[in-house]
Amino acid sequence: MRNYLLPDFLVQVGEGCSACGRCARECSFGVISMESGRPVARHSRCVACARCVTFCPTGALRVVPNQVAHRHNPYWSVSLRHDLMRQAQTGGMLLAGAGNDLAYQSIWDHLLLDASQVTNPSIDPLREPMEVVTFLGAKPSALQVEARPEGTLRLAHPLPPQIRLEVPILLGAMSLGAVNLNVHRILARAAQETGTLWNCGEGGLHEELYEFGPSTVVQVASGRFGVHPRYLERAAAVEIKMGQGAKPGIGGHLPGEKVTAEIAATRMIPEGADALSPAPHHDIYSIEDLAQLVGAVKQATGFAKPVGVKIAAVHHVAAIASGAVRAGADFVTVDGFRGGTGAAPKVVRNHMGIPLELALAAVDDRLREEGIRNEVTLVASGGIRSSGDMVKALALGADAVAVGTAALVSLGCTLCQACHTGRCAWGLTTQDPKLAARQDLEEGVERVGNLIRAWATELREVLGALGINAVESLRGNRERLRAVGLDAETLAVLGVQAAGRE
Amino acid sequence: MVPGQVIGDLMAAMHDRSNGLGGGFAAYGIYPEMADSYAIHVIYDRDDHRSAVEQLLSAATFLVRSERIYTRPTPGIGVAPDMWRYFVQVPPANLGGLSEEDYVVRLVMRVNMELPGSWVVSCGKNLGVFKGVGYPEDIANFFRLEEYRAYQWIGHGRFPTNTVAWWGGAHPFSLLEWSVVHNGEISSYGINRRYVEMFGYRCTLRTDTEVLVYLVDLLVRRHRLPWRLLYAILAPPFWEQIERMSDPDRRELYTALRQVYGSAMANGPFSIIIGHSRGMIGLTDRAKLRPLMAAREGFRFYLASEESAIRSVAPNLDCIWAPKAGFPAEGRLLSQGVSA
Ligand code: SF4
Ligand code: SF4
């Protein structure tokens, strides 16, 4: 069949090219090859990952959008037309990597923060303490104390298990398989160094990383990949994955070609076999079943660590979150529709789920209405792009945020959305050892660590400007948010007033 | 017992801290002959809103006495709402499993939430709150406070900045035996409010201070926490200080207080006075961004934003001190009329 698709991008070799061949070596999509000593491009394969441009020593390369004069039609966008052609050629479901890129309204960008002046002086975070420590775990709604014989007080009952996070930023779940072991090494060490947690995702935890157990959240997902007693024992916390924002309603799919020996051993499946997580957990068909699994995991871990549930932001997310809390979840991760993924059917990635902002507000409200907000740590994830988004998420009601895509971007990811091809030129979502080797451990740890430290510094700065010196006074404090350009219904869901209102 | 003249004079000394948009007083011990009834002070923006409240009170309580709160025309005080006080008792049969206090709190929340144009400004036994829009010394004159004698007075002059001035928004804010006056701003109000709402309180008075009185009620009365833990919740020690605590039980307790009651922390600059039936407490935020002075003269205990205010009514102090940031100054009642 003749291919009607025109290249999305053009690779242009300009004047200064020294013909060093670096671009050809860097391109993992087979776009550039050296022919007669000159780089030559097969444009149609280019995904605009910008790897070649970044590494070209002479700055001679350009990757530009292929501006064909398709008749402008905002309704039938070029990318839609391309998708139709692709489907006409293959008859298959379109796969996509990374997160939903459609231009749905980003509510974060319509929320603005308050600042202090006069009556509530702002605080200088360089001079005054500014506390951002956060604890992951269920809290009782009231404390009971008892007096010791000498008159001092102590707790009558110890609290359920708590994990201290130096910053309210977690590294979100990315499975071994979706990313490679090098990336896991980086995330694990970065989490340890910054005093937070990373999440190994649903593909198990490589033996080599067991030493990072105290900084690790391990997942139990519908495929039960890599779940065994030591896995649970080593973890700081366990997360039962019920859903994922990028692909609510379906399980993770790792094609056999990505299942290397390492991954096979970690997932406890044969090498080269497809690792297909079933859409539902086959032992969870109702909320009672989830309660049983939460209970089973707690029992298996001696009630010594928080057990959480991750859910995708979908229409009934508030009811589901409330059910999860009542099922015993010590933390609930709400994953919004902008969340990333190694691979997902495009139709699901682009059209399912709801925005994190609304889901988070609805969940926090519901848990408060039911008087159980205290009993759970609420983690917001799925498309948190900046410390600004993080601060707004905290103000809407999250205890902490989890970042995946942002961490990958700190490691070089350019959001070319080619993760599902397994050819990530930045060595992230690929199992090709040559490509994976592009991630240098030391440098990667520093980059991810810097990202977390930078956001923490920015959080302190914002707290100071808000005139508060502890993050717990920001959490759920929607009074410090105002909205511009949102309709009344959205404002009501968010529990935020329009800008200009007192 | 101290006549209302004294607190009026003390507040007059701090005239410049107000701007005429709010003044108020809590008087403890002013209704000795009605000491076992809840004294419910209500303000009505219009007289025709009164019948709904009175119907509710007659149905829900045993109404012992009701009367208009007497006032006198005072220059500087504009149009005043109608103000009434009701002395009520709760028939045990009405409680339906609630404690008497919880029952009264619910009743108050219902009036404030559901009945238009009516707000309960105080509802404790043997105490009353008198407040309005004006300078505190004028408010004292307006309410003829010199005619009341209390064992404990708390006064406040307001300079509202974040919310509009109205009669219900003047300090003190009071619920049951608690009353709170506040100098500063609760920058954490948004979450403090959502936190107390989880426990059935409703903030209706459009001022951040209101939430503090509900926090006191929740933590001290309902959660039965000792006072010193209330201070550690409102103005908690910094993590650094907690980590330095040598006694592991203490460290665990203070850690748990922050973990469990983080949403109840009052963040932002404040000095507050919390009144209760057996004394009063002065407390500042943990960075002490607002002034507070405490003093003693004989058996009398004083708290004020300014030393001059205390000295204006008590020239021969035994001692005067500035409480440390986040540390309370507590005055306890020895017996009615004697404090230390
Ligand atoms: S795929 Fe990436 S590396 Fe290859 S040509 Fe395109 S931009 Fe350059
Ligand atoms: S992870 Fe790699 S393939 Fe995926 S979007 Fe980022 S750069 Fe592209």
Side-chain angles (χ1 to χ4, degrees):
Chain A
M1 200 184 289
R2 198 188 142 88
N3 177 19
Y4 292 163
L5 286 167
L6 297 172
D8 288 321
F9 307 100
L10 297 178
V11 183
Q12 297 172 343
V13 183
E15 284 297 289
C17 174
S18 64
C20 67
R22 179 80 192 252
C23 54
R25 288 197 300 278
E26 293 297 335
C27 184
S28 55
F29 295 92
V31 179
I32 307 183
S33 53
M34 298 300 286
E35 283 170 30
S36 324
R38 296 284 305 168
V40 174
R42 294 160 78 183
H43 304 291
S44 62
R45 294 183 174 182
C46 179
V47 297
C49 69
R51 180 81 189 179
C52 53
V53 181
T54 309
F55 282 82
C56 173
T58 62
L61 276 182
R62 291 283 176 277
V63 175
V64 296
N66 184 15
Q67 289 190 338
V68 183
H70 286 285
R71 179 173 286 275
H72 177 63
N73 188 329
Y75 187 66
W76 293 93
S77 69
V78 174
S79 97
L80 273 175
R81 283 177 264 175
H82 275 193
D83 283 352
L84 292 173
M85 289 183 194
R86 233 169 247 130
Q87 288 186 306
Q89 276 169 220
T90 62
M93 186 164 70
L94 297 170
L95 278 184
N100 184 339
D101 59 2
L102 295 190
Y104 296 100
Q105 180 184 42
S106 295
I107 294 167
W108 303 127
D109 301 336
H110 293 262
L111 295 175
L112 292 167
L113 289 163
D114 190 18
S116 299
Q117 52 189 347
V118 189
T119 45
N120 54 344
S122 43
I123 309 171
D124 185 346
L126 294 176
R127 294 193 175 81
E128 305 279 341
M130 204 51 74
E131 302 184 309
V132 298
V133 169
T134 301
F135 288 83
L136 187 88
K139 323 282 190 287
S141 58
L143 273 187
Q144 280 176 10
V145 293
E146 59 191 19
R148 292 194 301 193
E150 69 276 18
T152 58
L153 297 169
R154 70 160 170 234
L155 281 184
H157 316 284
L159 252 49
Q162 305 290 325
I163 301 175
R164 182 179 161 121
L165 308 170
E166 297 304 324
V167 291
I169 308 163
L170 304 153
L171 295 170
M174 291 183 275
S175 73
L176 184 62
V179 297
N180 58 58
L181 183 56
N182 263 353
V183 176
H184 263 198
R185 289 184 180 117
I186 288 170
L187 297 174
R189 257 187 56 188
Q192 189 188 53
E193 285 183 13
T194 52
T196 186
L197 298 170
W198 73 293
N199 187 318
C200 74
E202 62 173 296
L205 179 66
H206 195 278
E207 284 276 339
E208 181 198 313
L209 297 176
Y210 273 33
E211 58 169 304
F212 295 98
S215 307
T216 309
V217 180
V218 299
Q219 269 193 346
V220 173
S222 59
R224 298 287 193 277
F225 295 119
V227 178
H228 53 80
R230 280 182 57 227
Y231 173 74
L232 298 177
E233 258 160 40
R234 273 311 169 102
V238 183
E239 180 174 79
I240 296 170
K241 179 194 172 187
M242 295 306 300
Q244 178 181 347
K247 41 183 174 184
I250 62 173
H253 290 190
L254 189 65
E257 57 264 30
K258 284 194 179 178
V259 181
T260 60
E262 223 161 42
I263 289 175
T266 306
R267 292 205 175 208
M268 308 191 304
I269 54 172
E271 203 176 324
D274 287 346
L276 306 180
S277 294
H281 286 245
H282 282 319
D283 52 356
I284 301 183
Y285 283 86
S286 69
I287 192 75
E288 314 86 273
D289 297 340
L290 175 62
Q292 279 191 6
L293 182 59
V294 171
V297 174
K298 284 191 176 181
Q299 227 158 47
T301 50
F303 299 92
K305 53 192 71 175
V307 174
V309 173
K310 175 174 177 174
I311 55 178
V314 291
H315 302 188
H316 297 299
V317 65
I320 297 164
S322 148
V325 177
R326 294 183 187 281
D330 299 315
F331 62 99
V332 167
T333 307
V334 178
D335 198 27
F337 84 143
R338 293 283 189 188
T341 175
K346 201 166 180 178
V347 62
V348 170
R349 188 198 72 173
N350 284 2
H351 303 283
M352 272 184 189
I354 63 170
L356 173 60
E357 300 91 318
L358 299 173
L360 173 59
V363 168
D364 184 57
D365 275 352
R366 169 64 77 90
L367 298 180
R368 285 178 188 282
E369 271 160 34
E370 296 186 14
I372 52 177
R373 177 62 185 85
N374 248 37
E375 289 170 29
V376 72
T377 300
L378 198 52
V379 180
S381 71
I384 303 277
R385 301 160 299 175
S386 66
S387 63
D389 291 355
M390 164 183 69
V391 167
K392 293 168 191 176
L394 296 176
L396 284 177
D399 290 275
V401 298
V403 297
T405 304
L408 291 184
V409 170
S410 78
L411 292 170
C413 163
T414 53
L415 281 175
C416 70
Q417 307 189 354
C419 324
H420 60 292
T421 64
R423 300 302 305 155
C424 176
W426 296 88
L428 300 163
T429 52
T430 175
Q431 303 306 325
D432 179 332
K434 278 217 196 91
L435 295 177
R438 292 180 175 184
Q439 283 299 328
D440 177 71
L441 179 64
E442 300 299 326
E443 190 186 313
V445 170
E446 203 179 322
R447 283 178 187 276
V448 176
N450 278 344
L451 181 82
I452 293 173
R453 283 184 286 270
W455 283 23
T457 306
E458 289 174 339
L459 172 60
R460 291 192 183 93
E461 195 69 35
V462 169
L463 290 180
L466 289 171
I468 52 183
N469 53 16
V471 72
E472 48 262 56
S473 300
L474 170 65
R475 188 185 308 139
N477 193 345
R478 300 179 186 172
E479 191 46 45
R480 309 306 297 276
L481 291 173
R482 287 294 183 274
V484 282
L486 295 177
D487 60 85
E489 190 65 24
T490 307
L491 291 179
V493 174
L494 291 171
V496 170
Q497 304 207 64
R501 290 246 178 250
E502 290 245 328
Chain B
M1 301 295 275
V2 183
Q5 189 64 42
V6 175
I7 186 83
D9 290 350
L10 186 148
M11 294 308 300
M14 295 193 294
H15 178 89
D16 286 353
R17 286 188 169 269
S18 322
N19 68 349
L21 292 180
F25 301 88
Y28 285 79
I30 52 173
Y31 302 129
E33 73 287 6
M34 288 282 172
D36 51 359
S37 296
Y38 292 93
I40 302 189
H41 284 202
V42 186
I43 60 175
Y44 298 109
D45 66 352
R46 288 208 318 262
D47 193 53
D48 55 352
H49 285 139
R50 189 152 59 85
S51 61
V53 173
E54 292 181 352
Q55 268 170 31
L56 175 65
L57 289 180
S58 319
T61 67
F62 174 58
L63 196 50
V64 185
R65 199 170 98 196
S66 65
E67 64 193 24
R68 179 170 268 127
I69 293 175
Y70 44 83
T71 56
R72 69 160 71 91
T74 301
I77 301 294
V79 183
D82 200 14
M83 283 171 286
W84 282 70
R85 66 186 143 219
Y86 305 92
F87 294 91
V88 308
Q89 292 183 359
V90 183
N94 286 12
L95 290 175
L98 291 178
S99 72
E100 203 176 274
E101 288 89 352
D102 283 338
Y103 185 85
V104 172
V105 169
R106 283 212 190 174
L107 199 62
V108 168
M109 295 298 146
R110 244 185 95 185
V111 172
N112 290 354
M113 282 287 289
E114 293 170 18
L115 301 186
S118 334
W119 294 273
V120 174
V121 297
S122 64
C123 59
K125 286 180 175 168
N126 201 9
L127 75 91
V129 164
F130 305 91
K131 64 186 189 177
V133 175
Y135 280 103
E137 59 273 25
D138 295 337
I139 292 287
N141 186 38
F142 176 76
F143 282 107
R144 298 156 55 173
L145 289 194
E146 73 282 357
E147 295 170 21
Y148 297 88
R149 297 174 71 79
Y151 62 83
Q152 172 170 285
W153 284 97
I154 298 174
H156 186 264
R158 193 172 177 221
F159 197 143
T161 40
N162 292 314
T163 48
V164 288
W166 69 295
W167 283 64
H171 303 210
F173 291 88
S174 183
L175 185 75
L176 300 173
E177 66 174 288
W178 324 114
S179 61
V180 176
V181 294
H182 167 214
N183 170 5
E185 183 182 305
I186 306 296
S187 303
S188 54
Y189 173 69
I191 182 56
N192 300 147
R193 170 189 181 142
R194 297 182 75 223
Y195 178 70
V196 298
E197 280 176 351
M198 256 191 352
F199 297 92
Y201 301 92
R202 292 291 173 266
C203 294
T204 51
L205 301 174
R206 298 177 242 153
T207 305
D208 54 0
T209 309
E210 180 189 11
V211 78
L212 292 175
V213 78
Y214 303 151
L215 282 170
V216 172
D217 187 54
L218 174 69
L219 301 173
V220 177
R221 183 177 65 83
R222 284 171 63 189
H223 289 184
R224 298 174 190 284
L225 295 173
W227 283 105
R228 55 188 139 149
L229 298 191
L230 176 81
Y231 315 143
I233 290 169
L234 294 180
F238 288 100
W239 285 117
E240 230 181 69
Q241 295 167 307
I242 293 175
E243 275 143 36
R244 279 203 306 266
M245 292 176 177
S246 50
D247 173 358
D249 279 353
R250 189 172 148 81
R251 203 164 52 230
E252 191 191 0
L253 173 62
Y254 278 77
T255 302
L257 284 173
R258 289 200 63 175
Q259 289 169 328
V260 172
Y261 291 112
S263 302
M265 166 178 184
N267 211 321
F270 68 81
S271 54
I272 55 174
I273 296 171
I274 303 168
H276 56 95
S277 59
R278 294 162 317 284
M280 63 180 176
I281 299 142
L283 184 71
T284 67
D285 65 85
R286 54 194 195 148
K288 201 169 184 189
L289 295 173
R290 282 291 189 279
L292 181 71
M293 296 301 290
R296 212 151 41 79
E297 186 191 61
F299 286 118
R300 285 190 182 168
F301 175 67
Y302 295 91
L303 289 165
S305 284
E306 287 181 20
E307 184 172 342
S308 65
I310 300 175
R311 290 201 186 275
S312 71
V313 294
N316 303 310
L317 293 174
D318 302 332
C319 61
I320 182 158
W321 72 100
K324 276 204 293 182
F327 282 85
E330 297 177 286
R332 250 178 316 112
L333 196 68
L334 296 180
S335 69
Q336 281 214 353
V338 182
S339 64

